[in-house]
């Protein structure tokens, strides 16, 4: 039986390229794909139409090879294998395919239910997140086979401090939201505010609704991102961004959704164009991040005019004895203490308006509106 019975999702020209040995072929392909009902990950497959030079290459290189397949619509990693009687090689890929994917509806249904073979809502959210990545060259080389956008090529996150080592630990990732983070918040003395109340405050401060684009930096296992995404609709997407592979994998496992997707990268150089997002936030993380002010600068850069920013981070006490003890302890752990007026001053100097601050124990919540005059492209 043909593996493309029925109409393909994509039929047309493509370029098939290999690194070792280096080779490139202009080919004609047929592809189709679908989301797996269990994990929601999109898998696509198809055949290359007979191509003599490709066959000679494959005969010399071996029975299967990994390469990259590109069309006018995109590029993706592909496995080339299994030649059939007619000289057509099989193509297989996982994640974002090299052709546009649109949801299909069941025309025989009165309610327009989503077809069983159509992309899952989670996959479409991932596609929307990938489309925001800039520059285009970075987007073209991103790996989405794990159910998230991988921009670091699998390189482990740096772990220079005890705190950063904990964030890259799979055990911490598994207990982070239920045990680890609540314990840390309790140590900061956040005045009895619950995790659910904290999330609700973030959603309110960011003024979430509709098809907004939202960026949650240092998203950890994604509980916060998923909650924020529940306030969106239509083409809205909340992008959880983290450098920890363990945290991102946990987020994909537990907290994907029709409006939630995840990206692994370095927040000190966010892979997004200026004015990309309608709302940005970073909760309970800036005090752990190297060069945290660079991260704040990036958050402001990618926030559109009129958009909202919200952060929750540490707040140092002004009393000398308290300040001395906090400095000693936080220094050993790799936890930074910020001054009370540090972020309000930064936002004010940047021309932001509607600046609000709430201090609870050793924590501060700060939100503001971006008052820049330029418009998002």
């Amino acid at each position: 039986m043909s593996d493309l019975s029925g109409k393909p999702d994509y039929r047309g020209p493509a370029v098939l390229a290999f690194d070792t040995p280096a080779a490139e072929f202009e080919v004609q392909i047929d592809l189709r794909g679908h989301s797996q009902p269990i994990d929601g990950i999109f898998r696509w497959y198809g055949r290359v139409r007979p191509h003599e030079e490709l066959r000679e290459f494959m005969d010399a290189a071996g029975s299967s090879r990994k390469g990259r397949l590109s069309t006018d619509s995109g590029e993706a990693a592909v496995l080339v294998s299994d030649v059939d009687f007619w000289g057509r090689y099989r193509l297989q890929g996982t994640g974002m395919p090299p052709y546009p994917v649109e949801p299909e509806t069941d025309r025989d249904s009165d309610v327009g239910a989503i077809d069983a073979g159509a992309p899952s809502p989670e996959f479409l959210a991932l596609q929307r997140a990938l489309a925001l990545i800039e520059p285009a060259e970075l987007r073209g080389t991103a790996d989405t086979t794990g159910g998230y956008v991988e921009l670091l090529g699998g390189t482990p996150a740096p772990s220079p401090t005890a705190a950063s080592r904990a964030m890259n630990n799979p055990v911490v990732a598994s207990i982070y939201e239920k045990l680890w983070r609540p314990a840390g918040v309790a140590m900061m003395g956040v005045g009895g505010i619950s995790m659910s109340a904290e999330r609700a405050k973030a959603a309110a401060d960011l003024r979430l609704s509709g098809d907004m684009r939202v960026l949650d930096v240092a998203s950890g296992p994604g509980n916060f991102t998923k909650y924020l995404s529940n306030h969106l609709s239509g083409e809205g997407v909340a992008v959880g961004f983290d450098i920890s592979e363990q945290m991102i994998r946990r987020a994909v496992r537990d907290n994907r959704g029709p409006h939630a997707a995840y990206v692994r990268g370095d927040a000190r150089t966010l892979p997004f164009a200026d004015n990309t997002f309608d709302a940005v936030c970073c909760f309970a993380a800036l005090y752990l991040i190297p060069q945290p002010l660079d991260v704040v600068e990036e958050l402001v850069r990618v926030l559109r005019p009129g958009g909202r920013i919200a952060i929750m981070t540490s707040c140092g006490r002004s009393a000398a004895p308290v300040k001395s003890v906090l400095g000693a302890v936080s220094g050993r752990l790799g936890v930074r203490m910020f001054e009370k007026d540090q972020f309000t001053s930064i936002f004010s100097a940047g021309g932001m308006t509607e600046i609000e601050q709430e201090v609870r124990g050793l924590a501060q919540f700060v939100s503001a509106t971006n008052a820049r005059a330029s418009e998002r492209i």
Side-chain angles (χ1 to χ4, degrees):
M1 178 182 293
S2 169
D3 44 6
L4 281 170
S5 56
K7 184 180 178 181
D9 296 332
Y10 176 83
R11 171 175 288 161
V15 175
L16 184 56
F18 303 90
D19 290 333
T20 51
E24 185 174 290
F25 304 95
E26 295 184 1
V27 296
Q28 294 288 322
I29 60 173
D30 297 89
L31 297 175
R32 77 180 335 163
H34 62 275
S35 295
Q36 293 292 321
I38 295 177
D39 60 17
I41 295 176
F42 198 82
R43 289 171 170 82
W44 48 273
Y45 55 90
R47 292 283 186 179
V48 179
R49 296 183 196 175
H51 191 289
E52 187 61 32
E53 290 81 7
L54 175 62
R55 184 159 192 166
E56 292 176 0
F57 174 82
M58 292 296 293
D59 286 345
S63 58
S64 65
R65 293 203 63 84
K66 293 181 179 179
R68 295 202 67 81
L69 185 67
S70 59
T71 70
D72 289 341
S73 301
E75 180 178 339
V78 67
L79 178 66
V80 186
S81 64
D82 183 23
V83 64
D84 66 13
F85 180 79
W86 294 275
R88 304 177 306 171
Y89 282 89
R90 182 187 298 272
L91 303 173
Q92 300 176 78
T94 303
M96 206 69 65
Y99 59 86
V101 178
E102 300 292 340
E104 299 178 4
T105 57
D106 182 355
R107 293 188 177 90
D108 295 330
S109 170
D110 292 336
V111 295
I114 294 178
D115 186 277
S120 69
E122 291 79 9
F123 174 80
L124 294 176
L126 179 62
Q127 190 177 48
R128 292 198 296 275
L130 179 62
L132 299 177
I133 301 296
E134 292 289 348
E137 292 79 7
L138 182 61
R139 183 167 64 248
T141 59
D143 181 5
T144 60
T145 56
Y148 61 94
V149 181
E150 170 63 81
L151 299 176
L152 301 180
T155 302
S159 302
T161 66
S164 59
R165 285 192 292 275
M167 293 302 101
N168 294 304
N169 186 298
V171 175
V172 172
S174 67
I175 65 171
Y176 180 82
E177 195 70 14
K178 291 184 178 180
L179 295 175
W180 186 275
R181 192 168 182 274
V185 170
M187 290 176 62
M188 294 175 72
V190 186
I193 187 171
S194 66
M195 295 293 292
S196 60
E198 184 185 347
R199 288 192 292 263
K201 177 174 175 55
D205 286 346
L206 294 173
R207 303 172 187 173
L208 302 182
S209 65
D211 60 357
M212 293 174 67
R213 300 169 179 174
V214 182
L215 178 64
D216 178 21
V217 164
S219 55
N223 303 70
F224 219 88
T225 308
K226 180 66 179 299
Y227 177 86
L228 298 178
S229 79
N230 292 338
H231 292 73
L232 307 178
S233 60
E235 295 296 302
V237 62
V239 179
F241 192 96
D242 206 290
I243 198 171
S244 167
E245 189 173 8
Q246 301 298 336
M247 290 292 185
I248 287 287
R249 286 181 176 178
R250 193 77 187 188
V252 170
R253 172 183 164 179
D254 297 340
N255 287 302
R256 285 185 301 169
H259 301 287
Y262 298 92
V263 176
R264 180 171 181 256
D266 190 335
R268 294 172 295 182
T269 52
L270 288 173
F272 307 107
D274 297 354
N275 309 334
T276 294
F277 292 93
D278 302 291
V280 298
C281 67
C282 182
F283 271 58
L286 285 173
Y287 48 76
L288 302 174
I289 297 175
Q291 293 92 53
L293 299 186
D294 290 346
V295 174
V296 173
E297 184 177 341
E298 282 289 275
L299 287 172
V300 173
R301 179 184 65 80
V302 301
L303 180 63
R304 72 163 179 83
R308 292 283 293 174
I309 184 172
I311 64 172
M312 185 280 250
T313 189
S314 59
C315 185
R317 294 299 186 94
S318 58
V322 175
K323 197 168 187 178
S324 177
V325 171
L326 289 175
V329 174
S330 62
R332 286 195 295 270
L333 294 177
V335 178
R336 190 184 308 265
M337 300 303 295
F338 296 104
E339 298 296 332
K340 179 181 177 181
D341 63 351
Q342 192 157 0
F343 294 103
T344 55
S345 297
I346 289 173
F347 292 163
S348 178
M352 289 197 164
T353 60
E354 299 182 283
I355 300 172
E356 299 176 358
Q357 182 183 42
E358 182 177 351
V359 177
R360 288 174 171 261
L362 300 179
Q364 58 178 313
F365 298 81
V366 187
S367 61
T369 298
N370 184 2
R372 287 181 313 204
S374 60
E375 292 296 332
R376 185 176 71 191
I377 297 174

